[in-house]
Amino acid sequence: MNITITEVGPRDGLQSEKNFVSTDRKVQLIDAIFASGIRCVEATSFVSPAAVPQMSDAAEVLKAIRRPEGAVVSVLAPNARGAHDAIRAGADELVAFVSASPTHNQKNLNRSITDSLTNIEGLAELASQQGIALRAAIATAFGCPFEGNIDVKSVVGIAQAFAGMGIQHITLADTTGMATPNIVRSVSASVRNAVPEARLSLHFHNTRGLGLLNVAAGIDLEISAYESSVAGVGGCPFAPGATGNVCTEDLVHYLHEEGHSTGIDLDALIQAAWLLEETLGRPLPGQVMRAGKRLRRHDADAAPTARARQAP
Protein backbone atom coordinates (compact mmCIF):
# COMPACT_ATOMS: atom_id res chain seq x y z
CA MET A 1 0.00 0.00 0.00
CA ASN A 2 1.17 3.54 -0.71
CA ILE A 3 1.08 5.47 2.57
CA THR A 4 1.00 9.26 2.85
CA ILE A 5 2.51 10.76 5.99
CA THR A 6 1.82 14.28 7.17
CA GLU A 7 4.60 15.50 9.45
CA VAL A 8 3.12 17.53 12.33
CA GLY A 9 6.22 17.94 14.49
CA PRO A 10 6.96 21.58 13.60
CA ARG A 11 3.49 22.53 14.85
CA ASP A 12 2.07 19.87 17.17
CA GLY A 13 5.50 18.87 18.40
CA LEU A 14 6.85 22.32 19.18
CA GLN A 15 3.73 24.14 20.36
CA SER A 16 4.20 23.22 24.03
CA GLU A 17 7.95 23.83 24.22
CA LYS A 18 8.66 26.38 26.94
CA ASN A 19 11.86 27.68 25.37
CA PHE A 20 11.33 29.53 22.12
CA VAL A 21 12.81 27.75 19.11
CA SER A 22 14.29 30.30 16.73
CA THR A 23 12.71 30.87 13.35
CA ASP A 24 15.93 29.76 11.64
CA ARG A 25 15.92 26.46 13.52
CA LYS A 26 12.27 25.83 12.68
CA VAL A 27 12.99 26.48 9.03
CA GLN A 28 16.03 24.17 9.11
CA LEU A 29 13.87 21.42 10.62
CA ILE A 30 11.14 21.78 8.01
CA ASP A 31 13.70 21.88 5.19
CA ALA A 32 15.29 18.69 6.57
CA ILE A 33 11.89 16.99 6.73
CA PHE A 34 11.17 17.91 3.11
CA ALA A 35 14.66 16.66 2.16
CA SER A 36 13.68 13.20 3.48
CA GLY A 37 10.92 12.92 0.89
CA ILE A 38 7.97 13.85 3.08
CA ARG A 39 5.74 16.16 1.07
CA CYS A 40 3.03 17.11 3.59
CA VAL A 41 4.13 19.19 6.59
CA GLU A 42 1.98 20.93 9.18
CA ALA A 43 4.42 23.77 9.64
CA THR A 44 2.95 26.13 12.22
CA SER A 45 -0.25 27.68 13.54
CA PHE A 46 -1.77 31.10 13.18
CA VAL A 47 -3.08 31.63 16.69
CA SER A 48 -2.75 34.36 19.29
CA PRO A 49 0.92 34.76 20.30
CA ALA A 50 -0.29 35.21 23.87
CA ALA A 51 -1.92 31.76 23.79
CA VAL A 52 0.91 29.94 21.99
CA PRO A 53 4.11 32.03 22.06
CA GLN A 54 6.06 29.31 20.24
CA MET A 55 4.02 29.96 17.07
CA SER A 56 4.40 33.76 17.11
CA ASP A 57 6.71 33.64 14.06
CA ALA A 58 4.27 31.70 11.87
CA ALA A 59 4.35 34.08 8.91
CA GLU A 60 8.15 34.30 8.94
CA VAL A 61 8.46 30.51 8.98
CA LEU A 62 6.15 30.09 5.99
CA LYS A 63 7.97 32.70 3.96
CA ALA A 64 11.42 31.21 4.64
CA ILE A 65 10.97 27.48 4.04
CA ARG A 66 12.01 25.95 0.72
CA ARG A 67 9.23 23.98 -0.88
CA PRO A 68 10.14 21.09 -3.16
CA GLU A 69 7.87 20.17 -6.03
CA GLY A 70 4.63 18.69 -4.79
CA ALA A 71 5.01 20.05 -1.27
CA VAL A 72 1.89 20.86 0.77
CA VAL A 73 2.43 23.24 3.68
CA SER A 74 -0.51 23.17 6.04
CA VAL A 75 -1.14 25.37 9.07
CA LEU A 76 -3.53 25.33 11.98
CA ALA A 77 -5.92 28.28 11.62
CA PRO A 78 -8.69 28.09 14.23
CA ASN A 79 -10.50 31.29 13.23
CA ALA A 80 -11.08 33.69 10.34
CA ARG A 81 -8.33 36.08 11.38
CA GLY A 82 -5.78 33.27 11.54
CA ALA A 83 -7.00 31.91 8.21
CA HIS A 84 -6.62 35.27 6.47
CA ASP A 85 -3.10 35.67 7.91
CA ALA A 86 -2.18 32.12 6.82
CA ILE A 87 -3.42 32.67 3.28
CA ARG A 88 -1.44 35.92 3.01
CA ALA A 89 1.67 34.10 4.24
CA GLY A 90 1.34 31.44 1.54
CA ALA A 91 -0.18 28.39 3.26
CA ASP A 92 -1.31 25.60 0.94
CA GLU A 93 -3.83 24.10 3.35
CA LEU A 94 -5.71 25.26 6.44
CA VAL A 95 -6.40 22.94 9.37
CA ALA A 96 -9.26 23.38 11.83
CA PHE A 97 -10.53 21.07 14.52
CA VAL A 98 -13.28 20.36 17.00
CA SER A 99 -13.27 17.86 19.83
CA ALA A 100 -15.78 15.02 20.03
CA SER A 101 -15.72 15.59 23.80
CA PRO A 102 -17.68 18.65 25.02
CA THR A 103 -15.41 18.98 28.06
CA HIS A 104 -12.18 18.78 26.08
CA ASN A 105 -13.56 21.18 23.48
CA GLN A 106 -14.34 23.69 26.24
CA LYS A 107 -10.86 23.28 27.76
CA ASN A 108 -9.06 23.45 24.43
CA LEU A 109 -11.16 25.98 22.49
CA ASN A 110 -13.24 27.60 25.22
CA ARG A 111 -16.47 27.04 23.32
CA SER A 112 -19.16 24.44 22.72
CA ILE A 113 -19.00 21.86 19.94
CA THR A 114 -21.92 23.61 18.22
CA ASP A 115 -20.10 26.93 18.26
CA SER A 116 -16.92 25.28 16.99
CA LEU A 117 -18.78 23.74 14.05
CA THR A 118 -20.31 27.10 13.22
CA ASN A 119 -16.83 28.61 13.23
CA ILE A 120 -15.47 25.86 10.96
CA GLU A 121 -18.39 26.36 8.58
CA GLY A 122 -17.25 29.97 8.19
CA LEU A 123 -13.69 28.79 7.57
CA ALA A 124 -14.95 26.35 4.93
CA GLU A 125 -16.71 29.19 3.12
CA LEU A 126 -13.57 31.34 3.29
CA ALA A 127 -11.36 28.50 2.05
CA SER A 128 -13.71 27.86 -0.87
CA GLN A 129 -13.72 31.56 -1.81
CA GLN A 130 -9.92 31.72 -1.64
CA GLY A 131 -9.37 28.43 -3.47
CA ILE A 132 -7.40 26.87 -0.62
CA ALA A 133 -7.82 23.40 0.88
CA LEU A 134 -9.28 22.95 4.36
CA ARG A 135 -8.65 19.82 6.42
CA ALA A 136 -10.79 19.29 9.51
CA ALA A 137 -9.81 17.17 12.48
CA ILE A 138 -11.91 15.54 15.19
CA ALA A 139 -9.93 15.60 18.45
CA THR A 140 -10.43 12.97 21.18
CA ALA A 141 -12.12 10.78 18.57
CA PHE A 142 -11.04 7.61 20.39
CA GLY A 143 -11.37 8.70 24.02
CA CYS A 144 -11.26 11.71 26.36
CA PRO A 145 -9.27 12.12 29.60
CA PHE A 146 -12.23 13.95 31.16
CA GLU A 147 -15.20 11.95 29.85
CA GLY A 148 -13.73 8.52 29.10
CA ASN A 149 -15.11 6.63 26.11
CA ILE A 150 -16.63 8.75 23.36
CA ASP A 151 -19.89 7.68 21.74
CA VAL A 152 -19.07 6.81 18.15
CA LYS A 153 -22.30 8.57 17.13
CA SER A 154 -20.77 11.86 18.27
CA VAL A 155 -17.71 11.33 16.09
CA VAL A 156 -19.85 10.30 13.12
CA GLY A 157 -22.12 13.32 13.58
CA ILE A 158 -19.17 15.71 13.44
CA ALA A 159 -17.75 13.97 10.38
CA GLN A 160 -21.12 14.27 8.65
CA ALA A 161 -21.23 17.97 9.54
CA PHE A 162 -17.78 18.42 7.98
CA ALA A 163 -18.87 16.59 4.84
CA GLY A 164 -21.93 18.83 4.66
CA MET A 165 -19.60 21.83 4.60
CA GLY A 166 -17.79 20.39 1.59
CA ILE A 167 -14.71 19.36 3.58
CA GLN A 168 -13.15 16.37 1.85
CA HIS A 169 -10.21 15.56 4.16
CA ILE A 170 -11.04 14.54 7.75
CA THR A 171 -8.56 13.53 10.45
CA LEU A 172 -9.55 11.33 13.37
CA ALA A 173 -7.21 12.29 16.20
CA ASP A 174 -6.24 10.28 19.25
CA THR A 175 -5.37 13.46 21.13
CA THR A 176 -4.30 11.84 24.40
CA GLY A 177 -3.28 8.33 23.42
CA MET A 178 -6.46 6.55 24.55
CA ALA A 179 -7.02 4.60 21.33
CA THR A 180 -6.73 0.83 21.11
CA PRO A 181 -6.81 -1.22 17.89
CA ASN A 182 -10.40 -2.35 18.54
CA ILE A 183 -11.57 1.23 19.10
CA VAL A 184 -9.68 2.42 16.02
CA ARG A 185 -11.36 -0.20 13.86
CA SER A 186 -14.81 0.54 15.25
CA VAL A 187 -14.70 4.33 15.04
CA SER A 188 -12.84 4.53 11.72
CA ALA A 189 -15.14 2.05 10.01
CA SER A 190 -18.22 3.87 11.30
CA VAL A 191 -16.97 7.23 10.05
CA ARG A 192 -15.97 5.82 6.67
CA ASN A 193 -19.37 4.20 6.23
CA ALA A 194 -21.09 7.49 7.13
CA VAL A 195 -18.96 9.70 4.86
CA PRO A 196 -17.55 7.37 2.19
CA GLU A 197 -16.59 10.29 -0.04
CA ALA A 198 -14.19 11.74 2.56
CA ARG A 199 -10.47 11.05 2.70
CA LEU A 200 -9.61 9.86 6.21
CA SER A 201 -6.34 10.44 8.05
CA LEU A 202 -5.46 9.00 11.44
CA HIS A 203 -3.45 10.86 14.08
CA PHE A 204 -2.14 8.85 17.02
CA HIS A 205 -0.19 9.58 20.17
CA ASN A 206 1.99 6.96 21.78
CA THR A 207 0.97 7.73 25.36
CA ARG A 208 0.37 4.10 26.28
CA GLY A 209 2.70 2.48 23.76
CA LEU A 210 -0.04 1.47 21.29
CA GLY A 211 0.71 3.98 18.53
CA LEU A 212 2.01 1.58 15.88
CA LEU A 213 -0.55 -1.07 16.77
CA ASN A 214 -3.24 1.51 16.10
CA VAL A 215 -1.61 2.33 12.76
CA ALA A 216 -1.77 -1.37 11.91
CA ALA A 217 -5.48 -1.36 12.74
CA GLY A 218 -5.97 1.57 10.38
CA ILE A 219 -4.09 -0.21 7.62
CA ASP A 220 -6.35 -3.24 8.13
CA LEU A 221 -9.15 -0.88 7.05
CA GLU A 222 -7.04 0.29 4.08
CA ILE A 223 -6.69 3.80 5.48
CA SER A 224 -3.56 5.16 3.81
CA ALA A 225 -2.94 8.58 5.42
CA TYR A 226 -1.31 9.13 8.83
CA GLU A 227 0.00 12.04 10.88
CA SER A 228 3.14 11.72 13.00
CA SER A 229 5.85 13.77 14.62
CA VAL A 230 9.60 13.71 14.02
CA ALA A 231 11.48 12.20 16.99
CA GLY A 232 8.13 11.58 18.72
CA VAL A 233 7.72 15.06 20.17
CA GLY A 234 4.37 16.61 21.00
CA GLY A 235 1.40 16.31 23.30
CA CYS A 236 -1.79 18.26 23.89
CA PRO A 237 -1.20 21.02 26.47
CA PHE A 238 -4.86 20.88 27.56
CA ALA A 239 -5.05 17.14 28.22
CA PRO A 240 -3.62 15.61 31.43
CA GLY A 241 -1.06 12.87 30.83
CA ALA A 242 -0.79 13.34 27.07
CA THR A 243 2.65 12.55 25.68
CA GLY A 244 4.22 12.69 22.26
CA ASN A 245 2.81 11.78 18.89
CA VAL A 246 3.67 8.58 17.09
CA CYS A 247 7.28 9.04 16.02
CA THR A 248 7.68 9.56 12.27
CA GLU A 249 10.94 7.61 11.93
CA ASP A 250 9.53 4.69 13.92
CA LEU A 251 6.39 4.75 11.78
CA VAL A 252 8.33 4.84 8.51
CA HIS A 253 10.60 2.01 9.65
CA TYR A 254 7.57 -0.11 10.55
CA LEU A 255 5.79 0.63 7.27
CA HIS A 256 8.85 -0.21 5.19
CA GLU A 257 9.39 -3.47 7.07
CA GLU A 258 5.75 -4.37 6.37
CA GLY A 259 6.26 -3.78 2.65
CA HIS A 260 4.41 -0.48 2.33
CA SER A 261 5.67 2.44 0.24
CA THR A 262 6.11 5.95 1.61
CA GLY A 263 8.57 7.67 -0.74
CA ILE A 264 10.61 8.63 2.34
CA ASP A 265 14.36 8.25 2.83
CA LEU A 266 14.54 6.92 6.39
CA ASP A 267 18.23 7.79 6.83
CA ALA A 268 17.54 11.41 5.91
CA LEU A 269 14.54 11.46 8.24
CA ILE A 270 16.68 10.20 11.11
CA GLN A 271 19.04 13.12 10.49
CA ALA A 272 16.09 15.48 10.85
CA ALA A 273 15.26 13.83 14.17
CA TRP A 274 18.83 14.34 15.43
CA LEU A 275 18.62 17.98 14.33
CA LEU A 276 15.50 18.43 16.45
CA GLU A 277 17.08 16.73 19.45
CA GLU A 278 20.10 19.02 19.16
CA THR A 279 17.76 22.01 18.90
CA LEU A 280 15.74 21.12 22.00
CA GLY A 281 18.78 20.03 23.99
CA ARG A 282 17.33 16.88 25.53
CA PRO A 283 16.80 13.21 24.61
CA LEU A 284 13.64 12.73 22.55
CA PRO A 285 11.35 9.65 22.48
CA GLY A 286 12.24 8.34 19.01
CA GLN A 287 13.66 4.81 19.06
CA VAL A 288 14.78 4.14 15.49
CA MET A 289 16.86 7.34 15.52
CA ARG A 290 19.04 5.59 18.13
CA ALA A 291 18.82 1.94 17.23
CA GLY A 292 18.92 2.45 13.46
CA LYS A 293 17.25 0.20 10.90
CA ARG A 294 16.57 -3.41 11.80
CA LEU A 295 19.49 -4.71 9.72
CA ARG A 296 21.98 -2.10 10.86
CA ARG A 297 25.32 -3.88 11.27
CA HIS A 298 27.82 -3.36 14.07
CA ASP A 299 31.54 -4.13 14.29
CA ALA A 300 31.85 -7.33 16.31
CA ASP A 301 35.43 -6.49 17.27
CA ALA A 302 34.28 -3.27 18.89
CA ALA A 303 31.66 -5.03 21.02
CA PRO A 304 32.55 -6.43 24.45
CA THR A 305 32.87 -10.19 24.80
CA ALA A 306 31.51 -12.09 27.79
CA ARG A 307 34.22 -13.44 30.03
CA ALA A 308 34.41 -17.17 30.63
CA ARG A 309 33.18 -18.19 34.05
CA GLN A 310 35.94 -19.33 36.41
CA ALA A 311 35.60 -22.71 38.08
CA PRO A 312 34.93 -22.44 41.84
Side-chain angles (χ1 to χ4, degrees):
M1 185 186 298
N2 291 322
I3 304 293
T4 299
I5 292 177
T6 295
E7 172 58 54
V8 300
R11 196 281 299 174
D12 197 359
L14 295 183
Q15 66 180 358
S16 298
E17 289 294 320
K18 295 180 180 179
N19 296 324
F20 186 77
V21 177
S22 72
T23 302
D24 286 345
R25 276 288 182 163
K26 289 171 183 168
V27 171
Q28 288 176 24
L29 174 63
I30 295 169
D31 286 345
I33 291 167
F34 276 138
S36 75
I38 289 176
R39 286 297 173 262
C40 301
V41 175
E42 192 169 301
T44 185
S45 60
F46 283 77
V47 295
S48 167
V52 188
Q54 190 65 249
M55 302 286 107
S56 61
D57 58 351
E60 290 79 8
V61 169
L62 255 62
K63 292 175 182 177
I65 57 179
R66 293 173 292 185
R67 307 184 192 200
E69 183 177 356
V72 175
V73 177
S74 61
V75 302
L76 183 67
N79 53 47
R81 179 178 177 178
H84 281 293
D85 290 344
I87 292 169
R88 281 194 294 268
D92 300 311
E93 179 184 58
L94 306 178
V95 181
F97 70 93
V98 61
S99 177
S101 157
T103 305
H104 183 265
N105 204 69
Q106 195 68 43
K107 289 288 185 181
N108 204 13
L109 297 174
N110 197 26
R111 60 178 62 164
S112 68
I113 291 175
T114 299
D115 288 344
S116 290
L117 289 174
T118 299
N119 174 67
I120 293 174
E121 186 174 16
L123 292 176
E125 293 175 0
L126 173 62
S128 178
Q129 292 168 0
Q130 298 293 322
I132 188 171
L134 173 64
R135 172 162 47 92
I138 305 175
T140 63
F142 305 104
C144 170
F146 307 112
E147 298 185 16
N149 288 325
I150 297 296
D151 189 341
V152 68
K153 293 179 181 178
S154 299
V155 182
V156 167
I158 294 172
Q160 289 174 321
F162 287 161
M165 300 173 195
I167 297 171
Q168 298 178 343
H169 191 169
I170 298 173
T171 297
L172 303 180
D174 181 28
T175 311
T176 64
M178 294 179 68
T180 67
N182 283 337
I183 295 173
V184 170
R185 282 187 283 265
S186 173
V187 173
S188 301
S190 296
V191 170
R192 187 168 60 184
N193 290 336
V195 288
E197 70 280 8
R199 179 192 180 201
L200 292 186
S201 292
L202 299 181
H203 173 121
F204 296 120
H205 286 234
N206 203 39
T207 309
R208 293 170 177 83
L210 297 178
L212 293 183
L213 288 176
N214 291 329
V215 169
I219 290 175
D220 286 344
L221 296 174
E222 298 185 349
I223 295 173
S224 61
Y226 296 86
E227 298 178 4
S228 57
S229 184
V230 63
V233 294
C236 177
F238 305 103
T243 55
N245 299 50
V246 166
C247 173
T248 308
E249 315 88 74
D250 297 357
L251 173 59
V252 171
H253 182 265
Y254 163 72
L255 292 172
H256 288 180
E257 287 291 331
E258 290 294 297
H260 301 292
S261 301
T262 66
I264 297 169
D265 180 339
L266 181 55
D267 291 321
L269 185 59
I270 289 171
Q271 292 306 307
W274 284 116
L275 173 63
L276 180 57
E277 179 163 293
E278 177 188 342
T279 298
L280 297 183
R282 68 174 189 276
L284 297 179
Q287 295 177 293
V288 171
M289 63 186 288
R290 287 181 167 73
K293 299 176 183 177
R294 182 177 65 87
L295 292 179
R296 175 186 178 185
R297 301 300 181 90
H298 298 269
D299 182 0
D301 292 336
T305 301
R307 294 184 179 180
R309 295 185 61 184
Q310 298 295 321

